[in-house]
Amino acid sequence: MIAIDDLVVELDVEAGVVRAIDALALTIERGETFALVGESGCGKSMTALALMRLLPENGHVAAGHVRVGGEDVLDLPEAAMRGVRGGRIGMIFQEPATSLNPVMKVGAQIVEAIEAHTALRGAAARARALEWLRRVGIPEPERRIDDYPFRMSGGQKQRVMIAMALAAEPDFLVADEPTTALDVTIQAQILELLKDLQREQRMGLMLITHDLAVVAGMAQRVALMYAGQIVEVAPADEFFAAPKHPYAQALLRALPGASRRDTPLEAIAGTVPPLTGRFAGCRFVERCAQAMPHCATTPPALRALDARRQVRCLLYEPGAVPTRRAAASVPSDRPDAAARDNRADAAPEDSPLADAPLLDVQSLGVRFPVRSGLLQRVHGHFDAVRDVSFSIARGQTLALVGESGCGKTTTGKAIVQLLRGVAVTEGRALLDGRDVFALQGPALLAARREVQIIFQDPFASLDPRMRVFELLEEGLQSLHPALDARARRERIEAITAQVGLRRDALERHPHEFSGGQRQRIAIARALAVQPRLIVCDEPTSALDVSVQAQILNLLRELQRDTGVSYLFITHNIGVVEYIADQVAVMQRGLIEEIGSIERVLGAPQTDYTRTLLAAVPRIALPSV
Ligand code: SF4
């Protein structure tokens, strides 16, 4: 159905020409789910855009062919291509806001797709649109069909877009991170729907995702991309059971899970090389734990191992002698002394406080005012969190899991006191026996020092105009006013080393760093004030697997060295299993279930926890 041959895509950027895709070849059969996986910037989305002829303005196809049903779409006039797009080939992108027309009702947009690509018209097309809204899980579709996109949540808009793509009954669907913005239960529903459609209509599917667990549950075949090239193609079950390429092995080793609790995750050192230059040898050589001397000078070709598997690695050339060196580790210049210096003043093990919880939350309620009208008068209240109680011991981690809007982030923000003046908070949050909600003045300042927060998007939480040093110094100045300039600098330099950043990072701005490095800066900023508890709000969910492994390792090391406790908000059960001691499951502002990881994940007691766990895509971690 789809045959891509020797595709080369180039982008003109300030630094020169980026070869975003290099000699890519793949085929996808009718009815097949083919997953394209890899970390950010490896060329997955660019492959989809080239297939749809939707490359950005600075991009062009420099060579190759893209055949759809035998016809090279690169040769088609744009008018003909418009019929292919949305008709023969449907597409779902991650960002629904850019794909829906904001001034057109959602139902009308779906009807338009149906009328353009099927024989249905008028009332029949509207009835079909309604059916699609129902199938993608939009509640009350009869009412929502006449809503404008702005009245829908992000997840609902995503589902409308999926309905629009599927309503045209395409032969082939390109889905680029189709469920990343959705909650797990809706994600499970959408993935199931895609599977059904494939069975019914023999629709081909190119699934592009960084979520390997989704791939494991959906795909028949997998292609792994690295630095613009495919480095391994394999049937999905064989790929996950026994990956061949060292990069594939490293990615799977970096995944967190229960079986890896007792050891640091194997993060992949280094970063993807820039694609502006030419490569003399293997693109993965700098990061490869099995590199041989000639890997730096001989570019490997994609080689067939058998009829179904291909790999781009010199280890599989005849006569290759593997020289396995120590697994690549992430360089960190953390001096142990710095780690000790930052030790939060945790209670010594023999003190009476050692057994008492660090944080004891009792009957927490958070109520937001509901405003409306020109004067924004308060018309009522919305209970975002109700009667929530839990405790966290020193040096321990409690994970808070649940779907969006269940109250987990609100709970975290209430404890960090970010909701003062915004919402009404009830109940008590005892930090070492003192109720932080009742504190005022200097006592409140001291409590703010002891509880810090790290957000999901490090970029949004760091002022782009400030240098890293200033970002770290800001908190110290307000929360540790007694420290003089020299003491502040010393502490900042020690913490920078502790989180694995080089000292010259202090003079740079946040935009000069990668996502993982920015998250390290956010962690350093939280640590600088020597907190005893850090609320981690989805700190790794925007990161690639290998960077996630680095951040999880860092958080665990810091906990071991400083005795800091974490309230860890996440939807990733693998992360929970790896990092947490206890887990609380939240739904509609209430804690449904709380207990040890083994108990709650191993033998859930409530229907909701069982449903949530069943919806989470899982992957059996291979022993690679
Ligand atoms: Fe590693 Fe060499 Fe294979 Fe590249 S060719 S992945 S450097 S062993």
Side-chain angles (χ1 to χ4, degrees):
M1 175 171 270
I2 301 286
I4 301 180
D5 283 329
D6 272 337
L7 182 70
V8 178
V9 171
E10 293 180 340
L11 299 174
D12 297 316
V13 296
E14 250 178 56
V17 175
V18 168
R19 189 166 272 210
I21 298 175
D22 199 359
L24 183 130
L26 57 84
T27 57
I28 304 175
E29 306 293 323
R30 180 170 266 280
E32 181 182 39
T33 296
F34 184 92
L36 210 50
V37 299
E39 300 188 282
S40 333
C42 66
K44 319 184 287 290
S45 295
M46 207 53 79
T47 305
L49 293 174
L51 169 65
M52 306 296 298
R53 277 202 15 209
L54 287 174
L55 287 174
E57 262 181 26
N58 65 337
H60 65 276
V61 173
H65 303 279
V66 177
R67 294 194 179 83
V68 177
E71 184 175 36
D72 195 338
V73 296
L74 299 182
D75 294 337
L76 286 181
E78 180 52 31
M81 191 61 209
R82 276 199 287 273
V84 174
R85 265 187 233 122
R88 280 164 72 195
I89 309 181
M91 41 184 179
I92 307 170
F93 292 117
Q94 187 177 355
E95 189 36 78
T98 53
S99 309
L100 291 177
N101 184 341
V103 294
M104 203 171 163
K105 292 175 180 169
V106 295
Q109 297 190 50
I110 301 173
V111 166
E112 193 177 66
I114 292 172
E115 292 189 340
H117 300 290
T118 74
L120 297 177
R121 297 289 177 272
R126 185 176 161 92
R128 180 63 62 85
L130 198 61
E131 192 185 317
W132 277 110
L133 285 176
R134 193 171 293 117
R135 287 188 86 175
V136 297
I138 295 285
E140 301 178 74
E142 291 81 1
R143 189 169 66 75
R144 307 306 303 269
I145 191 167
D146 290 320
D147 272 348
Y148 287 96
F150 77 87
R151 297 190 67 93
M152 301 193 137
S153 69
Q156 287 172 338
K157 277 192 277 216
Q158 182 74 349
R159 282 181 267 167
V160 168
M161 207 177 62
I162 292 169
M164 216 161 91
L166 297 177
E169 297 175 11
D171 296 331
F172 185 76
L173 184 71
V174 177
D176 188 353
E177 303 280 5
T179 55
T180 303
L182 303 179
D183 277 324
V184 281
T185 49
I186 299 294
Q187 167 172 279
Q189 189 183 336
I190 297 286
L191 295 178
E192 209 44 53
L193 174 65
L194 290 176
K195 276 191 199 167
D196 286 350
L197 284 169
Q198 276 193 295
R199 269 194 299 271
E200 288 165 19
Q201 300 177 10
R202 303 228 335 117
M203 182 180 75
L205 173 62
M206 182 195 269
L207 179 66
I208 296 175
T209 179
H210 70 283
D211 189 335
L212 294 172
V214 167
V215 173
M218 286 288 289
Q220 280 107 44
R221 278 195 305 146
V222 178
L224 174 66
M225 290 191 75
Y226 184 78
Q229 292 185 320
I230 287 181
V231 294
E232 181 162 352
V233 183
D237 49 352
E238 293 179 28
F239 178 83
F240 288 107
K244 296 287 185 198
H245 195 279
Y247 175 54
Q249 295 169 354
L251 271 186
L252 292 173
R253 275 200 299 262
L255 289 172
S259 59
R260 296 177 176 168
R261 261 182 91 83
D262 299 330
T263 50
L265 295 171
E266 282 195 37
I268 310 173
T271 50
V272 181
L275 302 180
T276 38
R278 294 277 177 234
F279 293 90
C282 172
R283 296 172 185 209
F284 189 58
V285 65
E286 296 292 333
R287 310 174 76 188
C288 182
Q290 300 171 59
M292 302 170 286
H294 64 297
C295 292
T297 51
T298 312
L302 194 62
R303 180 186 168 78
L305 297 181
D306 55 43
R308 291 143 49 93
R309 297 197 80 162
Q310 293 169 293
V311 65
R312 187 186 295 275
C313 173
L314 298 172
L315 283 174
Y316 299 91
E317 299 289 328
V321 183
T323 54
R324 190 175 171 90
R325 62 184 190 221
S329 64
V330 178
S332 161
D333 41 358
R334 299 179 63 243
D336 285 347
R340 283 194 297 275
D341 285 351
N342 193 45
R343 175 175 286 274
D345 44 348
E349 276 170 19
D350 54 356
S351 96
L353 274 180
D355 290 336
L358 172 70
L359 178 74
D360 189 11
V361 174
Q362 299 173 353
S363 302
L364 173 68
V366 180
R367 188 175 289 174
F368 287 96
V370 177
R371 297 173 191 275
S372 63
L374 258 186
L375 299 175
Q376 288 291 291
R377 288 218 172 88
V378 175
H379 280 273
H381 283 90
F382 164 66
D383 287 309
V385 172
R386 290 176 288 161
D387 198 21
V388 159
S389 300
F390 59 82
S391 60
I392 308 179
R394 287 175 180 73
Q396 297 269 302
T397 299
L398 171 75
L400 217 47
V401 301
E403 298 180 89
S404 334
C406 70
K408 14 185 232 305
T409 293
T410 303
T411 301
K413 284 185 171 172
I415 289 162
V416 187
Q417 312 223 46
L418 289 177
L419 300 179
R420 280 199 180 208
V422 179
V424 180
T425 307
E426 293 162 351
R428 305 199 303 166
L430 304 176
L431 189 71
D432 264 346
R434 288 163 306 146
D435 183 5
V436 295
F437 294 157
L439 298 178
Q440 299 291 342
L444 174 62
L445 195 69
R448 282 195 192 280
R449 199 163 53 212
E450 295 187 347
V451 185
Q452 292 287 303
I453 187 163
I454 304 168
F455 293 103
Q456 172 181 357
D457 180 356
F459 202 48
S461 63
L462 300 172
D463 186 334
R465 292 162 303 181
M466 293 170 84
R467 289 180 298 122
V468 172
F469 183 83
E470 292 163 338
L471 285 165
L472 300 190
E473 192 180 33
E474 194 185 31
L476 276 182
Q477 276 173 325
S478 65
L479 298 175
H480 287 274
L483 289 180
D484 63 17
R486 193 164 149 215
R488 286 199 300 270
R489 178 162 280 277
E490 277 173 8
R491 186 180 291 185
I492 287 170
E493 286 178 356
I495 284 167
T496 314
Q498 197 174 1
V499 299
L501 287 171
R502 287 164 25 161
R503 193 177 290 184
D504 60 8
L506 292 172
E507 303 312 319
R508 293 158 61 193
H509 290 88
H511 73 267
E512 297 175 62
F513 296 90
S514 66
Q517 286 172 321
R518 283 201 286 261
Q519 200 55 287
R520 283 169 191 260
I521 296 169
I523 294 171
R525 189 171 59 164
L527 278 180
V529 295
Q530 297 185 329
R532 305 174 67 186
L533 173 77
I534 301 182
V535 175
C536 303
D537 189 358
E538 301 270 13
T540 61
S541 61
L543 303 176
D544 280 324
V545 169
S546 66
V547 184
Q548 169 176 275
Q550 294 173 16
I551 297 294
L552 292 179
N553 284 346
L554 173 63
L555 289 171
R556 290 229 323 201
E557 264 180 66
L558 293 170
Q559 186 167 62
R560 194 192 57 218
D561 292 343
T562 68
V564 67
S565 305
Y566 298 128
L567 175 62
F568 204 102
I569 298 168
T570 182
H571 63 272
N572 185 326
I573 299 296
V575 170
V576 173
E577 286 173 336
Y578 180 71
I579 202 159
D581 304 288
Q582 306 271 317
V583 59
V585 180
M586 283 190 80
Q587 188 197 19
R588 296 200 199 105
L590 292 164
I591 288 190
E592 281 280 322
E593 187 161 358
I594 185 166
S596 69
I597 297 295
E598 296 76 18
R599 217 275 295 137
V600 175
L601 302 185
Q605 302 293 305
T606 67
D607 286 345
Y608 180 71
T609 308
R610 278 191 282 272
T611 307
L612 189 73
L613 292 178
V616 174
R618 306 300 293 272
I619 182 170
L621 298 179
S623 53
V624 282

